[in-house]
Amino acid sequence: MSLCIAIAATVLTIPATTFSLSWVHSVEKVEWREEWAVTHAGLELRQASVKGSGAGMEPGEGAVLDEGWWRWKPALAPVSELRLASSGATPSGWTMCHAGGCQTLGDAPGREAVLSACRQDGGAVEPSR
């Protein structure tokens, strides 16, 4: 499996089966992190972490405080895609990291990035119903 990232008319294929997303919350100004897996079922959220709590950032069920981070495993179904775009209220975009490095996505208003699992032919995986 690979990760497809669509930005404007370009689709990037990243040879990764896991990746992380991190960003700074627009109100509380603290970091939020998510660990994702690229699977045949789509993108699966494996772990979420937040450094603090407050305005819409309450740690999830079963969260444990570990070195200043609230960490938990969300019980969510896989998703076919993630759409990342700047709201204009956040100080930056999302940082996406994988084994090959990191890049910033969705940092400019109106510049949406769409993440999805790739098929072997390079297209995005269709969601299972």
Side-chain angles (χ1 to χ4, degrees):
M1 296 296 306
S2 295
L3 178 65
C4 280
I5 304 172
I7 302 171
T10 304
V11 177
L12 305 170
T13 301
I14 308 291
T17 56
T18 61
F19 66 96
S20 66
L21 288 175
S22 62
W23 65 94
V24 175
H25 190 274
S26 61
V27 175
E28 297 295 334
K29 308 295 187 227
V30 296
E31 190 174 0
W32 188 289
R33 292 182 188 163
E34 294 178 342
E35 303 297 326
W36 291 84
V38 182
T39 72
H40 292 288
L43 303 178
E44 294 181 9
L45 179 57
R46 298 282 172 91
Q47 179 175 288
S49 307
V50 65
K51 193 158 184 97
S53 62
M57 298 179 15
E58 291 73 23
E61 186 175 331
V64 175
L65 186 59
D66 178 22
E67 297 183 18
W69 289 85
W70 286 102
R71 300 182 196 282
W72 68 99
K73 294 182 182 185
L76 301 173
V79 296
S80 59
E81 65 183 22
L82 295 174
R83 293 184 169 271
L84 308 176
S86 174
S87 67
T90 55
S92 61
W94 285 262
T95 300
M96 188 211 52
C97 296
H98 52 86
C102 298
Q103 62 192 96
T104 301
L105 301 171
D107 56 341
R111 189 164 181 221
E112 180 180 61
V114 181
L115 283 64
S116 62
C118 300
R119 296 188 311 240
Q120 287 185 346
D121 65 7
V125 170
E126 294 295 320
S128 54
R129 305 251 183 235

